[in-house]
């Protein structure tokens, strides 16, 4: 910290209790009262430097009595500590002028009229020169000087000290620090040469210093009082500093003085490593309440500038401190703008009132969701979409609202076990999410099931009304299977679930049979569009067509085998009536059946070879499985004939 030294005399001031004495060998002839402190001094050093002291001492000395002259300076800026430095300056005692005392000394000198008329190089000129040439050029000194303005704020405002400090700080914060080397030099970084390279023992190394981040000034300005900090942020905003940088400073300042925010772990962002450890006693609840309201006013109303977790922490703190309604509404709107970035843990805001109506504040989440949906409608994100195999098909702008829908379903499942949660509140929150935002209703079904389990006293009509919130056609097969066996659901809902479950099964089975034809059709179309250069696709299509013909022949052959097996069953039944005469006929049937089964095996082998050579799709393997089943049926019939013949 830069300083200027004045005077050359040895310090001759001694303190005894609440009094200061100047031990120069001469008895004091004037007593200056500053608050509870008394200064026993001499008239001449004071008269020669201050116009105010000259008039006061002259007036007090008019009776010319032998008693000491007493002067009262109860309104001097800075109090007794500052007047001690002023007295030392008047006596020519060694004194250091620094950024920590220059403001108080300047204000006190102006109050005492210590101008050049009462002595060359007086305190006003010395303090003003040091402030302009030293303090304002340094970031650290400007911050220290601005901090001391709180004690003498009215006098500092008159002298424009506060304004000039703030303008200096705002100018430095808005300037690229890479251009001048500060604040790296001031913050303990490496020394730099005029060319900007790092110095080692005064020798240029040629290395360039690391670029400082944009949040290098957060910690310094966080030491300012709230009124001065507000004015600094306002000036920075007028200088077009990026909104995200200003928002980061506000977050840092709030974490410094709001202990409740430090209980929640913020995600890793650019300023997390700067989070200071709060020392000393925290501010009073009233001061914290004012701070929350001021932070809300200063934060830019823009999405994504502040992390959602911080906003939720600020909202919880605001609820505890019982801030104004407008502040609460603004915080809810800010969260609603970026609700898609929230987590389930963020939404679980416990009830802070003593009534304990519900475990969590559901109404607050309802209002936040309403703000999000209002913004979503304005931005035009609510566009039609379709669902295919459980996936949402539509505009990419639908992704935020689908994330919010999933988040709300999870929140409903968490608050559903609360027995004090009324059905209208649960229904209102569940119904607020648009239907197109839920690709599947499995999450909503889970929440409704938990609510029904925790509220067994609901009547049948209320259960049906609650279940109507679901779209049963958007339940997965697993959810349908669970719902079909769920005794908590109304009978009508279970019947509808069973119907849609059967419908889904039929659709799935039909899709399995048609997938082969669809693939072949798409391949033929693709091969027609592809040029003659891609012969691989053409050959693959031809092989698939040949295999398809083979499979069609196999289906016809299996049908013939079924007919022959049916005829054989009738012949076997006749054998039971005429045993002896039909023995050779049965044997011939047996031999004929062997021939048929061998034909089946041969046909199956040919199909298997075609599958291996053509790399056939899974649908061909299904037909192979059908042939195996028919073969097994033929073999079982053959064994039955053999047993009859042997008997």
């Amino acid at each position: 910290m830069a300083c200027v030294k004045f005077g050359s005399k040895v310090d001759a001031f001694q303190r005894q209790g609440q009094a200061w004495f100047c031990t120069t060998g001469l008895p004091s002839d004037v007593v200056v009262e500053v608050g509870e402190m008394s200064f026993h001094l001499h008239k001449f050093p004071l008269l020669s430097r201050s116009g105010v002291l000259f008039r006061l001492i002259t007036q007090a000395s008019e009776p010319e009595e032998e008693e000491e002259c007493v002067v009262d300076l109860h309104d001097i800026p800075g109090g007794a500590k500052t007047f001690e430095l002023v007295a030392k300056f008047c006596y020519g005692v060694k004194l250091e002028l620094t950024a920590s005392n220059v403001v108080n000394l300047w204000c006190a000198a102006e109050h005492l009229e210590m101008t050049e008329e009462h002595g060359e190089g007086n305190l006003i000129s010395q303090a003003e020169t040091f402030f302009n040439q030293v303090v304002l050029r340094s970031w650290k000194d400007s911050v220290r000087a601005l901090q001391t303005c709180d004690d003498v704020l009215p006098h500092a405002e008159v002298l424009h000290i506060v304004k000039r400090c703030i303008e200096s700080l705002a100018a430095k914060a808005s300037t690229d620090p890479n251009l001048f080397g500060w604040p790296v030099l001031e913050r303990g970084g490496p020394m730099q040469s005029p060319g900007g390279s790092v110095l080692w023992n005064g020798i240029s190394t040629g290395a360039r210093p690391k670029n400082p981040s944009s949040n290098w000034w957060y910690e310094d300005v966080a030491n300012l009082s709230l009124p001065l900090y507000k004015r600094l942020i306002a000036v920075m905003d007028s200088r077009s500093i990026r909104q995200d940088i200003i928002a980061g400073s506000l977050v840092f300042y709030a974490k410094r003085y709001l202990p409740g925010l430090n209980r929640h772990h913020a995600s890793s962002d650019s300023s997390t490593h700067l989070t200071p450890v709060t020392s000393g006693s925290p501010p009073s609840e009233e001061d914290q309440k004012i701070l929350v309201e001021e932070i809300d006013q200063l934060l830019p109303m823009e999405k994504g500038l502040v992390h959602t977790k911080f906003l939720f922490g600020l909202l919880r703190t605001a609820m505890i401190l019982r801030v104004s309604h407008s502040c609460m509404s603004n915080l809810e709107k800010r969260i609603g703008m970026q609700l898609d970035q929230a987590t389930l843990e963020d939404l679980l805001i416990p009830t802070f009132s003593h009534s304990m109506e519900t475990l969590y504040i559901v109404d607050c989440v309802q209002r936040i969701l309403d703000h999000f949906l209002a913004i979503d409608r304005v931005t035009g994100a609510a566009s039609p979409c379709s669902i295919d195999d459980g996936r949402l098909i539509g505009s990419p702008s639908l992704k935020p609202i689908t994330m919010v829908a999933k988040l709300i379903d999870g929140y409903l499942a968490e608050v559903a076990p609360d027995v004090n949660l009324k059905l209208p509140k649960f229904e209102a929150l569940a119904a607020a999410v648009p239907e197109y935002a839920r690709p599947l209703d499995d999450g909503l079904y889970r929440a409704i099931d938990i609510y029904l389990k925790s509220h067994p006293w609901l009547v049948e009509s209320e259960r049906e009304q609650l279940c109507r919130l679901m779209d049963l056609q958007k339940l997965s097969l697993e959810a349908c299977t669970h719902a079909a066996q769920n005794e908590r659901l109304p009978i009508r809902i279970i019947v509808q679930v069973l119907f849609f479950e059967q419908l889904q099964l039929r659709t799935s089975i039909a899709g399995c049979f048609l997938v082969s034809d669809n693939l072949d059709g798409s391949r033929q179309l693709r091969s027609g569009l592809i040029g003659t250069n891609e012969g691989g696709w053409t050959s693959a299509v031809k092989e698939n067509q040949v295999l398809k013909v083979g499979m069609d022949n196999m289906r016809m052959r299996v049908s013939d085998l079924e007919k022959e097996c049916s005829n054989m069953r009738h012949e076997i039944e006749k054998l039971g009536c005429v045993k002896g005469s039909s023995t050779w006929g049965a044997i011939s049937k047996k031999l004929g059946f062997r021939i048929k089964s061998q034909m089946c095996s041969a046909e199956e082998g040919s199909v298997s070879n075609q599958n291996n050579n053509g790399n056939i799709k899974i649908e061909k393997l299904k037909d192979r499985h059908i042939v195996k089943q028919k073969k097994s049926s033929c073999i079982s019939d053959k064994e039955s004939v053999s047993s009859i013949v042997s008997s």
Side-chain angles (χ1 to χ4, degrees):
M1 183 171 58
C3 66
V4 174
K5 296 181 180 181
F6 299 109
S8 58
K9 297 180 181 180
V10 180
D11 191 355
F13 284 79
Q14 293 182 357
R15 180 175 178 176
Q16 298 179 5
Q18 296 296 320
W20 280 94
F21 296 90
C22 183
T23 59
T24 59
L26 297 176
S28 61
D29 53 4
V30 62
V31 178
V32 181
E33 299 286 347
V34 183
E36 298 180 355
M37 191 69 66
S38 300
F39 292 86
H40 298 266
L41 306 174
H42 303 86
K43 295 180 180 179
F44 179 74
L46 302 180
L47 293 173
S48 62
R49 288 292 187 179
S50 171
V52 173
L53 289 175
F54 178 82
R55 291 193 299 270
L56 293 176
I57 292 174
T58 302
Q59 294 174 2
S61 302
E62 285 181 357
E64 296 183 358
E65 299 178 356
E66 296 181 357
E67 296 180 359
E68 290 184 342
C69 176
V70 179
V71 177
D72 188 5
L73 290 178
H74 62 278
D75 57 348
I76 184 173
K81 186 176 181 180
T82 301
F83 183 76
E84 176 191 349
L85 299 177
V86 172
K88 290 182 179 181
F89 178 81
C90 294
Y91 276 84
V93 176
K94 292 180 179 179
L95 172 67
E96 285 188 356
L97 189 62
T98 64
S100 300
N101 60 25
V102 64
V103 176
N104 290 348
L105 284 174
W106 190 1
C107 294
E110 288 285 348
H111 179 76
L112 296 174
E113 297 180 5
M114 301 178 69
T115 61
E116 296 297 310
E117 297 178 357
H118 299 86
E120 186 178 355
N122 213 343
L123 186 55
I124 291 179
S125 62
Q126 295 288 351
E128 186 175 4
T129 301
F130 178 77
F131 181 81
N132 293 331
Q133 297 182 1
V134 178
V135 174
L136 293 182
R137 294 184 179 183
S138 170
W139 168 270
K140 284 286 189 181
D141 290 341
S142 298
V143 172
R144 291 191 185 97
L146 187 58
Q147 285 180 264
T148 60
C149 290
D150 287 318
D151 299 331
V152 291
L153 192 57
H155 302 277
E157 291 286 5
V158 173
L159 297 175
H160 303 288
I161 296 176
V162 176
K163 180 181 179 181
R164 294 165 71 181
C165 284
I166 290 177
E167 291 288 346
S168 175
L169 293 175
K172 291 179 174 61
S174 60
T175 305
D176 187 1
N178 297 319
L179 299 177
F180 305 104
W182 67 267
V184 177
L185 179 61
E186 296 184 5
R187 299 180 63 86
M191 297 292 294
Q192 299 180 28
S193 67
S197 62
V198 178
L199 295 179
W200 179 78
N201 287 344
I203 303 174
S204 177
T205 61
R208 305 297 298 183
K210 294 182 179 180
N211 294 332
S213 58
S214 58
N215 56 12
W216 59 267
W217 51 273
Y218 288 1
E219 188 171 4
D220 292 332
V221 301
N223 296 319
L224 299 175
S225 62
L226 182 58
L228 296 179
Y229 178 77
K230 285 173 51 183
R231 293 177 59 178
L232 176 61
I233 291 298
V235 174
M236 287 183 174
D237 192 18
S238 65
R239 287 180 171 268
S240 302
I241 295 181
R242 294 205 325 258
Q243 295 294 305
D244 59 328
I245 297 178
I246 293 179
S249 176
L250 291 168
V251 171
F252 190 95
Y253 193 88
K255 290 181 179 180
R256 170 67 68 87
Y257 298 104
L258 295 176
L261 295 179
N262 296 326
R263 299 172 187 171
H264 306 280
H265 299 285
S267 63
S268 57
D269 53 18
S270 59
S271 61
T272 302
H273 66 283
L274 289 177
T275 303
V277 179
T278 305
S279 59
S281 59
S284 62
E285 290 189 3
E286 185 64 25
D287 292 338
Q288 294 184 41
K289 177 180 177 181
I290 295 174
L291 176 58
V292 171
E293 294 176 350
E294 293 293 344
I295 292 295
D296 172 64
Q297 293 295 325
L298 294 173
L299 274 176
M301 188 66 75
E302 187 175 342
K303 179 180 178 180
L305 293 180
V306 182
H307 200 275
T308 309
K309 189 174 291 295
F310 168 79
L311 291 177
F312 273 104
L314 198 62
L315 180 62
R316 290 188 179 93
T317 305
M319 291 178 178
I320 296 174
L321 298 175
R322 298 181 181 180
V323 300
S324 63
H325 176 73
S326 60
C327 178
M328 290 286 297
S329 178
N330 288 337
L331 291 175
E332 291 173 354
K333 289 179 181 178
R334 294 179 189 276
I335 296 174
M337 293 173 62
Q338 51 195 60
L339 183 58
D340 54 306
Q341 302 174 8
T343 61
L344 180 58
E345 181 183 1
D346 297 332
L347 290 181
L348 297 176
I349 305 175
T351 302
F352 299 104
S353 62
H354 299 286
S355 60
M356 292 299 292
E357 182 180 354
T358 55
L359 294 177
Y360 300 102
I361 306 179
V362 182
D363 295 335
C364 179
V365 177
Q366 178 75 59
R367 292 191 295 269
I368 292 174
L369 178 61
D370 292 340
H371 291 310
F372 174 82
L373 295 177
I375 296 174
D376 185 73
R377 286 191 293 268
V378 171
T379 55
S383 59
C385 62
S386 60
I387 300 173
D388 183 19
D389 295 334
R391 294 175 297 178
L392 189 66
I393 300 177
S395 173
S397 60
L398 289 171
K399 184 177 181 181
I401 197 169
T402 55
M403 295 173 63
V404 170
K406 183 178 180 181
L407 181 65
I408 295 300
D409 291 345
Y411 178 78
L412 289 172
E414 289 292 331
V415 301
D418 187 2
V419 295
N420 294 325
L421 181 59
K422 303 301 181 182
L423 181 60
K425 285 188 177 182
F426 186 88
E427 287 181 335
L429 185 58
V433 180
E435 294 183 1
Y436 65 84
R438 291 188 176 103
L440 292 176
D441 276 8
D442 289 9
L444 181 59
Y445 166 69
R446 175 173 173 267
I448 291 176
D449 184 38
I450 296 174
Y451 188 85
L452 292 176
K453 183 178 180 181
S454 303
H455 300 75
W457 54 83
L458 295 178
V459 298
E460 189 75 9
S461 60
E462 292 176 335
R463 293 172 179 267
E464 289 186 4
Q465 179 182 352
L466 181 60
C467 292
R468 289 194 191 100
L469 296 173
M470 296 182 294
D471 186 354
L472 301 180
Q473 300 185 58
K474 292 165 65 175
L475 293 178
S476 64
L477 288 176
E478 293 80 5
C480 288
T481 304
H482 185 276
Q485 304 173 2
N486 193 345
E487 299 178 354
R488 291 182 288 271
L489 298 180
I491 299 300
R492 181 177 298 179
I493 301 300
I494 294 178
V495 172
Q496 294 179 7
V497 169
L498 290 173
F499 172 76
F500 289 119
E501 183 183 14
Q502 294 297 323
L503 187 61
Q504 289 187 23
L505 288 174
R506 289 183 179 181
T507 304
S508 300
I509 293 173
C512 291
F513 282 112
L514 295 176
V515 66
S516 176
D517 296 336
N518 292 336
L519 287 175
D520 290 338
S522 63
R523 287 170 181 169
Q524 291 175 4
L525 179 61
R526 191 182 301 115
S527 63
L529 297 176
I530 296 175
T532 57
N533 294 332
E534 299 185 24
W537 283 103
T538 305
S539 60
V541 169
K542 290 181 179 180
E543 292 179 359
N544 289 337
Q545 291 177 350
V546 173
L547 293 174
K548 184 177 179 181
V549 173
M551 292 304 301
D552 293 338
N553 295 333
M554 178 57 65
R555 291 192 185 97
M556 296 175 62
R557 185 57 181 164
V558 169
S559 178
D560 295 339
L561 289 174
E562 289 178 351
K563 293 179 181 180
E564 292 180 3
C565 289
S566 178
N567 295 332
M568 290 178 63
R569 289 191 185 96
H570 291 298
E571 294 296 334
I572 291 171
E573 291 176 357
K574 292 180 182 180
L575 288 175
C577 297
V578 185
K579 181 178 180 182
S581 61
S582 59
T583 301
W584 292 106
I587 293 173
S588 63
K589 292 289 184 179
K590 174 182 176 182
L591 295 176
F593 183 78
R594 285 182 178 177
I595 296 173
K596 300 297 183 181
S597 60
Q598 289 176 359
M599 291 175 63
C600 291
S601 300
E603 194 73 17
E604 176 192 357
S606 64
V607 173
S608 176
N609 292 332
Q610 292 176 354
N611 288 340
N612 294 331
N613 295 330
N615 194 13
I616 307 304
K617 300 295 180 179
I618 298 176
E619 49 265 32
K620 275 64 177 183
L621 296 178
K622 292 181 180 178
D623 293 334
R624 177 184 175 185
H625 181 65
I626 294 174
V627 174
K628 284 187 177 181
Q629 290 180 346
K630 298 305 179 181
K631 176 183 176 182
S632 300
S633 177
C634 293
I635 293 174
S636 61
D637 291 339
K638 181 185 69 174
E639 291 177 353
S640 62
V641 173
S642 177
S643 61
I644 294 174
V645 172
S646 60
S647 62

